[in-house]
């Protein structure tokens, strides 16, 4: 029988308590009745119960409990999958989702990225070097100002220009007007310079709102979209990607509250659910992920994994042009670097700063490839 | 100008570091650019920036940072609201969402529960005593067995009978067959005994799947539904409740990973987004919420709050019939007690155990009201 193997980290100091919690979580994530009740029915006992496959001290303290779970339940849809993966278990404050495998039954649920890393390289026409990405911000600026910034960033040679994730459908920059103006800006730059930047508007809202935004953005000709999967919920993200989107999708980590799901696993889930590139807060910026966390996050996106295309790691959160060589040394050339606010600091030099960013990424990519 | 006041708990020991994090989060949750860039544009400086309104040591250790944020951004939809409430902030592992206010601009986004506590009392015909709730489980059992259990629980006098949250649309108990059989069971019991139990099937899936399930369940005549808002994502939950559901909705906490959002606030969010009753893991069961957490959770659902109807607290997670008097003393009579697995322990006495549960709830309610 196929097994779904899930590992939780248990932040308890005492082995016996941790083991007892692991055993109770085993019941929680399978039959959720007293063991005697589960044992009563053959179909439940034989097909729905799990076992504690390994229990060991974790290198970082606490314990790692590896559960072997039946797939039958999880395989019935992407939401049942999430429910078995970390549903009730997430209510135990001591538990963090630390690892999971994906047996064939569950692989059948997911197609992963539709374009992935290579698809993004094709669409931006960047075969080898690190890609560059920047953001339209700050929120509050009117459509013309955002479109003008978009034009400057594209002129400077940025590959992917995304909306700030706070841009939604506010009165001061209505969605469709913003999307049309920014898309027109990248097209105008392409006609003038030959450089094609992908503009990625932020889709956010309830299912109906998001679908409408996707349709309108694609009708306007955008080259990609930005979506925050945890803000929308993974089921809506999944359905949007697979039934509505014809362009690559960048995933934003907003609302991911990632302490309880190891950050790298969040990357793996986003890839599984269809993200082509995943933005995450890099070490050395405004957030506190350390180097190991960031390396694991990038790996989770790029490493060969079943039939799923690799996705493009997109470190962000307070990066600067000056740090490009160091970031490329750390992440390697298979990366998209996202620098937002820092490009805007010199109001009259945005094109020049964007150009410096693009040049630096090209140079660093060559150095890394040589 | 309207302000959105949000409080985060910061789990750092050193005041200066915590204060500096609070200041950086203030930027993160508003303009997300260096302060000099935000200051450059009048419309951003005057309308989109926030301020640190209070910063103080928390009684439980760490610090509480209270941010005053502009509403303009958050008021543009329920997803922008979540984004400003705890979007990027959730990526800071030291941060927990501890409190928020809801100024009129943001109140306009939400209608809260459509039925609430009183609506559930009307529909179950239980004007005063605590309501009783039980679950169809374990997952893995065929439709006839689940319908038979439903019949027994209804015969025993249970008020609300919900699907186990692992029941989805599995081959061994397909959604529509299960729903029709269980609804027929409660109708048969009503015709025979006059006791009307509400059957609440679990809706779970992608937006299209969930809408289809809602339509089919309501066509089958169900009296309520069960939904896990965090598993589906709050935007899908919101749209489902307000555009599709004609019956009360019970919210299940699966996937809520509630450490980073204070549990009571999760209850408040579920009420805001439209839950009529909210299930949560009670103290003294399989989970580790303590009494204060549970009291605060119940309060968040019941306390007068703007124009929103109170919702019914539904403590669960390893409760027993023997604990009913204690639970009613603790929570008061304005509660729905959920006992699942424990009623099933004596295979041949399920009706009797359900009856004991219902009787005990009635007695405890009288004692509490006297």
């Amino acid at each position: 029988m196929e097994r779904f193997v899930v590992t939780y980290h248990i932040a308890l100091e005492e082995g016996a308590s941790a083991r007892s919690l692991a055993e109770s979580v085993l019941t929680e994530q399978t039959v959720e009745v007293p063991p005697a009740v589960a044992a009563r029915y053959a179909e439940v006992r034989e097909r729905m119960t799990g076992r504690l496959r390994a229990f060991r001290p974790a290198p970082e303290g606490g314990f790692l409990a590896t559960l072997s779970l039946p797939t039958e339940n999880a395989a019935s849809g992407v939401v049942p999958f999430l429910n078995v993966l970390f549903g009730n278990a997430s209510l135990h404050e001591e538990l963090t989702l630390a690892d999971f495998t994906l047996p064939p039954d569950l692989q059948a649920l997911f197609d992963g990225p539709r374009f992935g890393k290579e698809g993004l390289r094709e669409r931006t026409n960047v075969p080898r070097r690190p890609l560059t990405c920047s953001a339209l911000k700050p929120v509050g600026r009117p459509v013309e100002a955002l479109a003008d910034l978009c034009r400057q960033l594209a002129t400077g040679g940025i590959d992917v220009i995304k909306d700030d994730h706070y841009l939604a459908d506010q009165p001061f920059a209505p969605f469709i007007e913003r999307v049309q103006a920014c898309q027109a800006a990248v097209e105008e730059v392409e006609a003038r310079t030959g450089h094609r930047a992908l503009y990625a508007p932020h889709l956010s809202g309830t299912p109906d709102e998001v679908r409408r935004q996707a349709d309108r953005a694609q009708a306007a000709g955008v080259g990609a979209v930005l979506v925050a999967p945890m803000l929308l919920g993974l089921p809506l993200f999944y359905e949007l990607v697979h039934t509505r989107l014809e362009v690559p999708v960048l995933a934003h980590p907003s609302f991911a509250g990632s302490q309880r799901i190891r950050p790298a696993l969040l990357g793996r889930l986003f890839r599984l659910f269809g993200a082509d590139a995943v933005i995450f807060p890099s070490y050395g910026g405004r957030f506190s992920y350390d180097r190991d966390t960031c390396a694991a996050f990038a790996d989770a996106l790029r490493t060969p994994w079943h039939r799923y295309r690799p996705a493009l790691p997109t470190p962000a959160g307070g990066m600067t042009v000056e740090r490009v060589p160091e970031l490329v040394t750390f992440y390697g050339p298979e990366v998209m670097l996202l620098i937002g606010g820092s490009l805007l600091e010199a109001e009259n030099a945005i094109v020049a700063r964007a150009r410096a960013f693009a040049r630096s990424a090209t140079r660093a990519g060559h150095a890394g490839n040589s």
Side-chain angles (χ1 to χ4, degrees), chain A residues 302-319:
Chain A
R302 293 183 300 201
T303 201
W305 188 41
H306 304 304
R307 68 176 195 286
Y308 305 120
R309 291 186 180 86
L312 202 53
T314 308
M319 304 296 97

Side-chain angles (χ1 to χ4, degrees), chain A residues 2-23:
Chain A
E2 302 244 5
R3 309 300 291 184
F4 182 23
V5 180
V6 178
T7 300
Y8 300 112
H9 178 262
I10 302 179
L12 288 174
E13 290 183 12
E14 211 245 311
S17 316
R19 193 179 183 103
S20 140
L21 178 57
E23 276 157 5

Side-chain angles (χ1 to χ4, degrees), chain A residues 231-253:
Chain A
L231 201 53
L232 295 195
L234 286 168
L236 170 52
F237 177 69
Y238 174 90
E239 195 170 273
L240 179 74
V241 168
H242 294 292
T243 67
R244 217 71 175 196
L245 292 186
E246 291 151 16
V247 296
V249 58
L250 280 62
H252 189 287

Side-chain angles (χ1 to χ4, degrees), chain A residues 2 33 36-37 56 69 79 96 98 100 140 163 207 213-214 219 237-238 257 308 312-313 323 332 345 361 363:
Chain A
E2 302 244 5
V33 286
V37 176
R56 58 195 186 284
L69 306 171
V79 172
T96 304
F100 66 91
D163 277 354
Q213 289 168 5
F237 177 69
Y238 174 90
Y308 305 120
L312 202 53
R323 287 189 59 206
E345 285 187 291
R363 266 201 305 270

Side-chain angles (χ1 to χ4, degrees), chain A residues 195-207:
Chain A
H195 171 70
R196 172 175 32 175
L198 301 186
Y199 165 56
H202 181 216
L203 311 184
S204 78
T206 64

Side-chain angles (χ1 to χ4, degrees), chain A residues 75-267:
Chain A
S76 66
V78 299
V79 172
F81 164 81
L82 292 173
N83 212 346
V84 173
L85 181 69
F86 201 46
N88 275 13
S90 79
L91 297 170
H92 287 284
E93 298 189 352
E94 306 83 356
L95 250 62
T96 304
L97 178 61
D99 203 3
F100 66 91
T101 64
L102 207 67
D105 264 16
L106 301 183
Q107 288 171 41
L109 293 174
F110 298 101
D111 290 324
R114 296 156 305 138
F115 301 93
K117 194 160 71 63
E118 295 313 315
L120 274 166
R121 286 196 174 286
E122 268 170 41
R123 284 172 176 242
T124 48
N125 201 18
V126 178
R128 287 167 64 90
R129 65 163 171 81
L131 277 77
T132 56
C133 181
S134 191
L136 303 181
K137 51 167 67 176
V139 64
R141 307 267 334 179
V143 166
E144 316 80 71
L146 295 167
D148 186 56
L149 176 57
C150 189
R151 187 175 302 108
Q152 295 182 64
L153 294 169
T155 302
I158 301 298
D159 300 309
V160 177
I161 301 166
K162 69 166 195 68
D163 277 354
D164 183 84
H165 78 289
Y166 285 122
L167 290 173
D169 191 16
Q170 292 98 337
F172 51 77
F175 180 81
I176 190 61
E177 290 171 35
R178 181 177 84 241
V179 169
Q180 287 171 342
C182 294
Q183 181 58 25
V186 297
E187 288 174 12
E188 185 239 289
V189 172
E190 185 182 3
R192 184 160 48 80
T193 69
H195 171 70
R196 172 175 32 175
L198 301 186
Y199 165 56
H202 181 216
L203 311 184
S204 78
T206 64
D208 280 343
E209 289 167 351
V210 166
R211 287 167 178 178
R212 206 158 39 230
Q213 289 168 5
D215 292 347
R216 300 180 84 181
Q218 292 180 137
V222 303
V225 296
L226 174 74
V227 175
M230 300 306 275
L231 201 53
L232 295 195
L234 286 168
L236 170 52
F237 177 69
Y238 174 90
E239 195 170 273
L240 179 74
V241 168
H242 294 292
T243 67
R244 217 71 175 196
L245 292 186
E246 291 151 16
V247 296
V249 58
L250 280 62
H252 189 287
S254 181
F255 207 63
S258 58
Q259 183 180 27
R260 307 293 307 291
I261 298 181
R262 281 197 181 169
L265 280 202
L266 203 70

